[in-house]
Amino acid sequence: MLKRQNPSTPEHRRDLAADGGVLSMSHNDSRSFFSLSQLVLSAGRIKPSPALKHSKITYFEVEIVDVQSKKQICIVDKVPPASTLLDVKHKFHKACPQWYPSRVGLQLEHNGPFLKDSVSIQSLAVSSIVTLYFTDLGQQVGWTTFFLTEYTGPLLIYLLFYIRLSTIYDQVESRKSFRHPVVHLACFCHCLHYIRHLLETLFVHKFSEGHTPLKNMIKGCAFYWGFTSWIAYYINHPRYTPPSFGHKQVSYAALAFLEIEPVFQVQPTTPSRGSSCWYPVPTIHMRPGLGLVSQ
């Protein structure tokens, strides 16, 4: 017969202790794993470590040299690669306040064309130092100011001759003379022409460049103002005689003015040093009601 083992023997107690230890250890491991998983779930997704950013940025130095004397004027340092030539002009203006950005002309070569303000420094750079040649373009004015001054003068000058100032005409002769209706019609057409141009300058025109040299405005004003003074003096003179062919000539001239008014277009020219500038020139296109347009 098999002898039944006494559960109280030392060997049996050791076996039970070993089995109980294994069970308790596996139970503790499962609880630890469950706690760790709950902690990971409550913390959310593990964010990846941020990539290291490069703190080193390459800057350029722009050396500005006088185009005539070849002497260095200044160095514009710490210019970011994305900067444009207009940004360099503003920094150059801070160093040399007497030259504002619209007055500064910069060239990559000594006899090369003037660079546009939208050109990036990075596209010009061969090394970390960029050398640009400086030319003083002279005093500049905006295109809107240019045309407003050019067109306002003829309008006011003609009206001064139309009212027959005592400093221009003899007052005694002006009172005795009779004004022909064509004189009033000429004043109306002249004022209508320049008022239309002034309104187009303010609300219609879009110019390709922002500035032009002051000397160009002086030349334009001298032509417009001088020609207006010349024709206004004779048309509004007390001894003015009507047209030879009478009302037919006046009617045809008025229709020609309203229907076949010459159109001016802004066309590019290439002056000295290869710079591009824009100014109005008459064309052969004859369309009524049109003014300066940009091509």
Side-chain angles (χ1 to χ4, degrees), residues 64-94:
I64 299 179
V65 180
D66 186 78
V67 71
Q68 295 180 353
S69 63
K70 307 296 190 302
K71 294 181 179 180
Q72 183 188 99
I73 300 177
C74 73
I75 293 180
V76 181
D77 57 353
K78 293 185 178 181
V79 179
S83 298
T84 61
L85 205 65
L86 183 61
D87 300 329
V88 175
K89 289 183 178 181
H90 282 291
K91 292 185 178 181
F92 177 61
H93 174 58
K94 292 181 179 180

Side-chain angles (χ1 to χ4, degrees), residues 121-151:
I121 296 299
Q122 191 172 12
S123 63
L124 303 175
V126 180
S127 62
S128 60
I129 300 177
V130 181
T131 301
L132 298 177
Y133 294 93
F134 161 75
T135 300
D136 185 7
L137 301 178
Q139 190 172 357
Q140 304 286 305
V141 293
W143 277 112
T144 303
T145 304
F146 177 93
F147 287 111
L148 289 179
T149 306
E150 193 175 65
Y151 296 145

Side-chain angles (χ1 to χ4, degrees), residues 120-279:
S120 64
I121 296 299
Q122 191 172 12
S123 63
L124 303 175
V126 180
S127 62
S128 60
I129 300 177
V130 181
T131 301
L132 298 177
Y133 294 93
F134 161 75
T135 300
D136 185 7
L137 301 178
Q139 190 172 357
Q140 304 286 305
V141 293
W143 277 112
T144 303
T145 304
F146 177 93
F147 287 111
L148 289 179
T149 306
E150 193 175 65
Y151 296 145
T152 304
L155 180 63
L156 300 178
I157 290 172
Y158 196 95
L159 292 176
L160 293 177
F161 283 93
Y162 177 76
I163 62 177
R164 294 180 176 177
L165 294 176
S166 58
T167 55
I168 302 176
Y169 302 111
D170 181 54
Q171 291 299 306
V172 178
E173 192 174 15
S174 298
R175 294 190 188 98
K176 292 181 180 179
S177 62
F178 170 74
R179 292 198 183 191
H180 194 274
V182 72
V183 175
H184 303 291
L185 180 61
C187 180
F188 172 77
C189 292
H190 182 90
C191 294
L192 179 65
H193 174 77
Y194 283 101
I195 289 174
R196 180 178 66 86
H197 278 302
L198 289 173
L199 294 177
E200 288 177 350
T201 301
L202 293 174
F203 303 108
V204 177
H205 296 173
K206 293 182 179 180
F207 306 106
S208 58
E209 297 293 340
H211 300 86
T212 184
L214 179 62
K215 61 181 180 180
N216 290 345
M217 188 179 75
I218 295 176
K219 292 179 182 179
C221 291
F223 171 76
Y224 276 89
W225 295 13
F227 184 75
T228 300
S229 301
W230 178 58
I231 63 173
Y233 176 79
Y234 290 104
I235 294 177
N236 297 285
H237 199 280
R239 298 182 184 179
Y240 172 80
T241 55
S244 303
F245 296 97
H247 293 290
K248 289 185 179 180
Q249 182 179 353
V250 175
S251 301
Y252 290 145
L255 290 176
F257 170 79
L258 295 176
E259 297 294 333
I260 316 177
E261 189 173 357
V263 179
F264 289 87
Q265 294 182 343
V266 175
Q267 296 184 350
T269 61
T270 306
S272 61
R273 298 185 180 274
S275 63
S276 61
C277 74
W278 300 69
Y279 70 97

Side-chain angles (χ1 to χ4, degrees), residues 51-68:
L52 296 177
K53 296 182 179 179
H54 297 283
S55 58
K56 186 177 180 181
I57 301 176
T58 304
Y59 291 97
F60 293 101
E61 290 185 357
V62 180
E63 180 187 17
I64 299 179
V65 180
D66 186 78
V67 71
Q68 295 180 353

